[in-house]
Amino acid sequence: MRVFATLVLISACLTGYAQWAIPPQMRASITLDNLAQNGLNQTDLLYGIPMEPGKVVGDTYITKVWNISTIMLSESDKIIEGYPARYDIQANALEIKSKSGIKVLNAKSIKSLVWIDSLLIPHYFVNANTFREDGIEQAGLLEVLVDGEILLLNKFYIEVVKPSYNIAMGSGSKDTKLIPRTATYSAKAGELIRIKTKRDVLKISGEYSDAINKIIADEGLKVNKQYDLIEIFVRLNELKQAAK
């Protein structure tokens, strides 16, 4: 009863003003009555409110850090060195920071690239266009993890994670996420061979598969660990070199 009296008093006070702060048609009781008369329920109310659109989050760089680089151009073998650079996987381009601003070099113009990271470790890259996967010429840059007769390479790609938002449940993400990923390969006669399991490594090892299998077992090396995989391919190249 007291609550009802309070509401009546508030209503009486509001009608005493020439102008209302809240227009009569926007008062809650009227709005809800109108919605009820139109047969709308709570679910309709939820769907009727415009949602904030999702965003594209993440980036498409191998690393966002600018690393001091040395670049060899494809056509002339000309060397460009001493500039900070970073590689945009999706754009297939190397961004180079110069005194006059950021310059963009298409990866197809790059024969090879070396950059020094923050730990002073060099990273080596070659153009992917000299390799094929399933007979298809590749584009972009490949990181050389192990050089030698049998290469170990990293191929870069962007994983696109689509929005998972569920309107009915009001849960999940509205954003599209871009996540840089790597896949590991070896190469034979210019054909890239994906490495996922120990079986792939042993197949690539050919006549040295028994020796490599023993090294993996004796030293507890794991193919799914990049550092261990590098060690395996270093040893494989040593075996091939020693046999010559």
Side-chain angles (χ1 to χ4, degrees), residues 214-243:
K214 187 174 187 306
I215 289 171
I216 291 172
D218 291 348
E219 301 185 19
L221 301 175
K222 305 292 185 183
V223 172
N224 60 353
K225 293 183 178 179
Q226 184 169 282
Y227 186 84
D228 285 358
L229 192 57
I230 288 173
E231 177 64 19
I232 292 168
F233 271 73
V234 168
R235 302 285 283 277
L236 176 57
N237 277 287
E238 288 174 351
L239 288 172
K240 292 185 73 67
Q241 189 65 30

Side-chain angles (χ1 to χ4, degrees), residues 26-50:
M26 291 298 293
R27 290 171 60 189
S29 60
I30 297 176
T31 302
L32 292 176
D33 285 344
N34 289 339
L35 288 174
Q37 290 171 8
N38 290 328
L40 299 177
N41 55 37
Q42 290 184 346
T43 303
D44 294 317
L45 286 173
L46 175 64
Y47 291 176
I49 300 173

